[in-house]
Amino acid sequence: DADVTQTPRNRITKTGKRIMLECSQTKGHDRMYWYRQDPGLGLRLIYYSFDVKDINKGEISDGYSVSRQAQAKFSLSLESAIPNQTALYFCAVSSGRARNEQFFGPGTRLTVL
Amino acid sequence: GEDVEQSLFLSVREGDSSVINCTYTDSSSTYLYWYKQEPGAGLQLLTYIFSNMDMKQDQRLTVLLNKKDKHLSLRIADTQTGDSAIYFCAEILSYNTDKLIFGTGTRLQVFP
């Protein structure tokens, strides 16, 4: 079983709809991250959380919100989706120790029409 | 600044060596990483180097770090079609260990 899972894997929605992307992990790590990937722009950090009560904005948090429901679950919401939020979204987890390797989920491809 | 730059594409023949380059602007990096993203998948850590090292070798992979020029490279020897992927360099900064700074990614295409 995968250590970091994301649901859904693909989603097509319309402008103005509210969308929630979910991430779960079995690695037992405290730190969880949401990134968005766009061609030629690499990965950009949206939000991150170091424990259930800790939420931090990344570099592109506008238009997004998150919820850390439990140590193992971190969800990303688009309150009112717009076409330029069409992208590949990745969840990642890390322990924060040693070399601080981040483990990534398989990604969610979101299309906003 | 926290910019990490990579060229977007690299095409090599199977069996040749590939060299993927990365430049960064912030000299306070502690760890620098290479991640690999295969089609339809998330990123996986390929290798990493601590900032007090100049070189690290791991089987077909060689990482070179030039701190003076703020330049990181990944050499893949005997490149195979299975090496076709997007490669991201990333750094973690000494004054902000909260997050990774990713490069733009280099798409490596290996042809027979």
Side-chain angles (χ1 to χ4, degrees):
Chain A
D1 287 342
D3 295 320
V4 184
T5 56
Q6 293 183 233
T7 56
R9 293 295 312 278
N10 287 283
R11 182 71 184 268
I12 300 174
T13 191
K14 294 182 179 180
T15 297
K17 294 290 188 181
R18 184 177 188 274
I19 297 297
M20 179 180 286
L21 309 183
E22 301 195 7
C23 175
S24 295
Q25 56 133 338
T26 58
K27 295 192 74 68
H29 289 338
D30 288 326
R31 299 186 174 194
M32 298 188 74
Y33 306 79
W34 275 105
Y35 292 92
R36 114 174 228 171
Q37 183 182 15
D38 297 277
L41 293 178
L43 273 73
R44 293 182 291 167
L45 184 63
I46 307 173
Y47 272 96
Y48 60 104
S49 167
F50 285 177
D51 65 39
V52 174
K53 296 179 182 177
D54 176 74
I55 301 289
N56 304 282
K57 291 183 177 181
E59 57 183 307
I60 55 163
S61 58
D62 287 349
Y64 301 95
S65 62
V66 290
S67 173
R68 184 80 183 267
Q69 301 96 320
Q71 191 219 22
K73 295 184 183 296
F74 192 36
S75 60
L76 176 72
S77 294
L78 286 67
E79 299 300 327
S80 179
I82 55 177
N84 77 359
Q85 291 177 312
T86 293
L88 194 52
Y89 290 85
F90 287 103
C91 174
V93 306
S94 75
S95 66
R97 294 188 293 274
R99 63 175 184 261
N100 201 22
E101 177 181 353
Q102 292 194 10
F103 299 88
F104 283 79
T108 295
R109 184 167 295 281
L110 177 67
T111 303
V112 183
L113 301 175
Chain B
E2 299 178 351
D3 288 333
V4 181
E5 298 288 336
Q6 300 177 239
S7 53
L8 289 181
F9 298 101
L10 177 64
S11 184
V12 300
R13 188 180 299 277
E14 191 174 17
D16 287 351
S17 292
S18 308
V19 179
I20 303 171
N21 294 300
C22 173
T23 58
Y24 56 96
T25 56
D26 199 309
S27 58
S28 61
S29 303
T30 52
Y31 284 98
L32 295 112
Y33 308 82
W34 284 103
Y35 279 83
K36 178 182 181 182
Q37 182 185 24
E38 296 185 358
L43 280 70
Q44 284 193 306
L45 182 66
L46 202 56
T47 187
Y48 67 96
I49 189 167
F50 191 51
S51 59
N52 68 354
M53 299 168 65
D54 297 323
M55 186 183 86
K56 180 179 180 182
Q57 188 150 2
D58 183 2
Q59 299 182 335
R60 291 190 298 123
L61 306 178
T62 303
V63 179
L64 294 178
L65 176 60
N66 182 328
K67 290 183 285 292
K68 174 176 172 289
D69 294 338
K70 300 190 186 72
H71 184 264
L72 180 74
S73 67
L74 174 69
R75 178 177 182 269
I76 305 173
D78 186 25
T79 311
Q80 303 297 307
T81 54
D83 295 324
S84 294
I86 301 177
Y87 291 81
F88 291 92
C89 64
E91 62 174 347
I92 202 161
L93 305 175
S94 60
Y95 59 84
N96 184 358
T97 58
D98 292 356
K99 55 182 182 172
L100 288 178
I101 311 298
F102 281 92
T104 48
T106 299
R107 183 179 295 276
L108 173 65
Q109 183 174 13
V110 183
F111 58 93

